[in-house]
Amino acid sequence: MGRGYPAPGHEKSFAFSPDGARLAFSDGGSLYVLDNGSAKARLLVKGSAPDMICGAPDWLYAEELDVKTGLWWSHDGRKIAFLRFDETKVPSYPLVDQVAIHPKVQPQKYPQAGDANPAVSVGVVDVQTGKPETLPGAESGQGYIPRVGWTPNDKAVVFMKLNRDQTWMALYKNVLGTNESRLLVKDTQKTWVNVFQGPWFLKDGRFLWLSERTGYCHIYLYGPDGKLIRPLTHGTWVVDRILGVDPEKGWVYFSANATSPLDEDFCRTSLATGHMKILSKMKGWHNVEVSPEGRYFVDRYSNVTTPPQIYVGDLHNGSRRRLFAKAPDTLSSKYGFVKPQFVTVKADDGTTLYGKLYKPAHMKPGKKYPVVIEVYGGPGIQLVTNRWVRYWGVSEQLFPADGYVYFQLDNRGSFRRGKTFEDSDYKRFGKTELEDQLAGLKYLKTLPYVDGSRVGIWGWSYGGFMTLYALTHVPAGTFKAGVSVAPVTNWLNYDTCYTERYLKTPKEDPEGYKKSSPVHFAADLSAPVLIQQGLMDSNVHFGNSVQMVKALLKTGKPFWMAYYPQQSHGIRNKADHTSVYARMLEFFNRHLKH
């Protein structure tokens, strides 16, 4: 679940062989290969979408497990490992395009909480003979297979298995031609296990593994037999990604928030000793890619007031230069963007929370201004970062330009603060998140230019849920208005993988689902609300808004509704997207400025 970005549908994966001589792709559920110079593709593995998909991720895996492809070439280009999805028991959800005189129905395979998951297996096919085989033990059952890859010598395929309850994740290795897949590593958590990168193999068979066993994501070095050699990083900060390995120097390069939860640093650590060094010098966000041999890098750097600048460098001699001349900050200079400031707030348990505050563009001494709070609040997203975000950074300026104080706070449960920080979401959505957002509101009311009696709240996706949860769980007057975009209103509507990770199944904890779903608290709505959503939202289905509207009508509570035909979760069409923000601004002006 994202912050208003479009959800992926059925993915069509493709990949060139390592030597570029062949193209493998999935189409219509089947896996094909096209030889260089040939006009016709060869069928390798037969499938039939939407019930049987070979070589491509389904919606669930693409959206919730970040699986970007369903096929992986061996290094020698002779074989392809692939995922096979059996979706026959997965319910279909109807997405309806009602623009046409005769509406069109687009069925979507979508398992809601408690439903049957797709049955997934890992297969290997010889590109020349076209003979596929399923790896022993590489079946998901009702769980998941989130990562697949090859060992450097192509003799074995590795795959990760995640149980449906998502309390353990294991790495297995199958030596091709054998009847057993061997367990290498297994991580467990009392709450849930987060899914990171797959293993990063070194040429000698050793591999790097990301784990939160200490409460923070760090890198561990394992031997080919799955025995732990040593941790390579440690501390009360998190590793974001392994970026590359330099076998000549013995360095592992990675990104992390080692200096601040708001930043992304470019770092390295020693394979031999675990001695770490932060390579990036400038505070902010370093989006780095490292060359395959681990010598060169590209750094796309920005901070909250600096648009991206691209640097290239040589990690052996330490040279570094900007690839292009620094671009002028035309948006800021032309439109008078407000520079945000970072603030800290204490949660009720003493936890430090980070916020981002925009003052009105044209402040007058002694005047008090209304406030708009943007909330996301859910797992896997961090709003408050020291980086330039082209899309959201511009939309955030809308409110200061119109005379509002604009505020964001990353509550407990959000991303990149460690497992304990996230675990507040376990078996309950909304409660702790709202407590922290109210702590942020309390802080705002201490500012001399804030009118604490004129506060609005809005959010998209999980943030849309949080807006409705807040408005149905606070006393009247706390917020004067709210805007909820593409909200989950009842967690029984949302998918298995995401929802059960935190709330477990509806059968296990029906009360937790009820307490986490604002549709059950419509009678307690404390302020007017505007609900906006795409009619063909493939991520958070429009039925969520329908159910909330029905509950509000039953109670007689005031609400407004705007829907967008043919639009999905992100409402990406330019005119429609502009309308979302124009309606939002008009709604807040109506309720907060008079």
Side-chain angles (χ1 to χ4, degrees):
M1 179 182 291
R3 187 187 174 214
Y5 290 104
H10 169 56
E11 303 294 322
K12 290 186 178 180
S13 10
F14 63 91
F16 284 98
S17 60
D19 62 3
R22 293 186 173 102
L23 174 68
F25 63 93
S26 177
D27 187 35
S30 296
L31 179 60
Y32 298 88
V33 66
L34 180 64
D35 297 310
N36 190 15
S38 174
K40 186 177 180 181
R42 291 188 288 118
L43 176 66
L44 291 180
V45 187
K46 177 67 175 174
S48 180
D51 289 330
M52 196 69 67
I53 304 170
C54 299
D58 70 346
W59 180 89
L60 187 72
Y61 271 53
E63 171 66 19
E64 304 300 5
L65 294 169
D66 197 29
V67 178
K68 300 184 185 302
T69 184
L71 60 94
W72 298 265
W73 284 93
S74 61
H75 300 91
D76 62 13
R78 295 179 180 179
K79 292 182 173 65
I80 297 173
F82 64 94
L83 290 176
R84 179 189 282 112
F85 289 81
D86 182 347
E87 306 264 355
T88 52
K89 294 183 179 180
V90 177
S92 290
Y93 193 96
L95 302 176
V96 184
D97 180 1
Q98 302 194 58
V99 171
I101 298 299
H102 299 287
K104 298 177 181 178
V105 178
Q106 178 185 321
Q108 178 195 16
K109 289 289 187 176
Y110 189 105
Q112 294 169 302
D115 285 345
N117 266 335
V120 184
S121 59
V122 181
V124 172
V125 60
D126 187 296
V127 176
Q128 204 59 44
T129 65
K131 183 180 178 181
E133 59 178 296
T134 300
L135 300 185
E139 298 94 13
S140 65
Q142 281 298 294
Y144 309 92
I145 299 180
R147 302 289 181 264
V148 178
W150 291 86
T151 56
N153 60 13
D154 287 335
K155 291 183 178 180
V157 171
V158 292
F159 55 92
M160 289 161 54
K161 293 181 72 170
L162 179 67
N163 66 325
R164 177 151 182 171
D165 215 28
Q166 300 183 57
T167 54
W168 61 259
M169 183 166 57
L171 175 66
Y172 290 87
K173 179 170 74 172
N174 176 260
V175 177
L176 298 184
T178 64
N179 295 322
E180 182 182 3
S181 294
R182 181 184 174 188
L183 174 66
L184 294 178
V185 184
K186 188 174 184 178
D187 276 347
T188 61
Q189 292 278 352
K190 291 181 179 179
T191 52
W192 72 85
V193 178
N194 285 315
V195 179
F196 303 110
Q197 280 174 287
W200 188 294
F201 276 88
L202 310 179
K203 289 183 178 180
D204 60 8
R206 293 179 298 167
F207 63 92
L208 308 175
W209 179 254
L210 292 178
S211 171
E212 286 184 305
R213 65 193 59 174
T214 64
Y216 296 87
C217 182
H218 284 292
I219 306 172
Y220 296 83
L221 176 63
Y222 279 84
D225 56 0
K227 290 184 179 179
L228 176 65
I229 298 174
R230 68 181 64 87
L232 297 183
T233 61
H234 61 88
T236 55
W237 46 271
V238 301
V239 171
D240 292 316
R241 285 190 305 146
I242 300 169
L243 301 173
V245 175
D246 183 342
E248 179 184 336
K249 301 290 185 179
W251 295 116
V252 176
Y253 296 100
F254 63 96
S255 58
N257 61 2
T259 58
S260 165
L262 308 186
D263 294 343
E264 182 165 84
D265 306 305
F266 178 37
C267 311
R268 77 180 185 194
T269 186
S270 168
L271 280 168
T273 66
H275 176 72
M276 177 195 148
K277 182 178 181 180
I278 299 172
L279 301 176
S280 49
K281 305 299 182 185
M282 298 181 292
K283 293 286 291 179
W285 201 270
H286 296 268
N287 187 355
V288 176
E289 298 294 331
V290 174
S291 63
E293 75 284 359
R295 176 168 180 176
Y296 303 103
F297 71 95
V298 177
D299 180 3
R300 187 172 183 267
Y301 166 75
S302 71
N303 61 42
V304 75
T305 58
T306 305
Q309 303 170 5
I310 299 177
Y311 295 85
V312 295
D314 186 326
L315 292 163
H316 283 194
N317 62 28
S319 64
R320 179 177 177 273
R321 65 183 178 87
R322 191 158 49 211
L323 192 59
F324 304 105
K326 183 178 179 180
D329 184 1
T330 53
L331 285 175
S332 296
S333 58
K334 182 176 180 179
Y335 296 107
F337 279 10
V338 174
K339 179 181 178 179
Q341 64 184 82
F342 295 113
V343 301
T344 57
V345 174
K346 291 293 184 182
D348 57 11
D349 68 349
T351 300
T352 298
L353 309 173
Y354 291 89
K356 187 166 64 172
L357 177 71
Y358 295 83
K359 296 179 181 179
H362 306 288
M363 291 185 68
K364 295 179 180 179
K367 183 176 180 179
K368 289 183 178 290
Y369 293 88
V371 178
V372 170
I373 296 173
E374 181 191 357
V375 60
Y376 181 82
I381 295 289
Q382 181 184 19
L383 284 188
V384 183
T385 57
N386 187 17
R387 63 173 163 170
W388 182 277
V389 183
R390 178 177 60 87
Y391 174 81
W392 289 107
V394 172
S395 66
E396 290 164 6
Q397 294 287 340
L398 176 67
F399 297 92
D402 210 61
Y404 288 95
V405 176
Y406 195 67
F407 185 66
Q408 300 166 329
L409 182 78
D410 282 329
N411 49 250
R412 282 170 291 173
S414 53
F415 194 42
R416 297 183 80 235
R417 293 290 304 277
K419 194 66 173 59
T420 300
F421 192 85
E422 294 180 26
D423 278 348
S424 62
D425 284 331
Y426 186 57
K427 291 192 173 183
R428 182 69 188 272
F429 281 154
K431 182 177 183 296
T432 303
E433 300 96 301
L434 178 57
E435 290 171 359
D436 289 355
Q437 293 297 327
L438 292 177
L441 177 57
K442 183 179 179 181
Y443 160 77
L444 289 172
K445 289 182 176 181
T446 67
L447 302 177
Y449 51 85
V450 164
D451 184 345
S453 67
R454 294 187 292 158
V455 181
I457 183 171
W458 88 277
W460 199 310
S461 196
Y462 196 99
F465 151 73
M466 276 301 302
T467 298
L468 292 172
Y469 186 93
L471 295 181
T472 54
H473 287 79
V474 297
T478 306
F479 300 106
K480 286 202 70 175
V483 177
S484 172
V485 185
V488 175
T489 65
N490 187 338
W491 288 100
L492 292 174
N493 293 325
Y494 205 55
D495 71 65
T496 52
C497 187
Y498 183 98
T499 313
E500 294 173 9
R501 183 183 302 149
Y502 311 108
L503 301 183
K504 304 310 170 186
T505 65
K507 186 177 180 180
E508 289 176 276
D509 190 11
E511 193 64 20
Y513 274 76
K514 184 176 181 180
K515 289 181 178 179
S516 298
S517 300
V519 70
H520 297 297
F521 302 93
D524 299 321
L525 187 74
S526 59
V529 64
L530 167 64
I531 302 171
Q532 306 195 78
Q533 189 167 14
L535 276 174
M536 295 189 71
D537 193 331
S538 62
N539 185 341
V540 179
H541 294 134
F542 189 71
N544 282 275
S545 290
V546 172
Q547 292 166 22
M548 192 71 199
V549 164
K550 182 179 179 181
L552 290 170
L553 286 170
K554 186 177 180 180
T555 63
K557 293 291 182 176
F559 73 93
W560 285 256
M561 180 76 202
Y563 52 83
Y564 296 88
Q566 299 179 323
Q567 294 301 299
S568 190
H569 195 55
I571 312 180
R572 304 301 289 179
N573 176 274
K574 183 178 180 180
D576 298 61
H577 200 80
T578 301
S579 173
V580 169
Y581 282 92
R583 289 176 184 274
M584 188 188 312
L585 186 59
E586 187 276 332
F587 190 78
F588 281 134
N589 285 342
R590 190 192 326 159
H591 292 282
L592 302 183
K593 286 193 172 180
H594 301 287

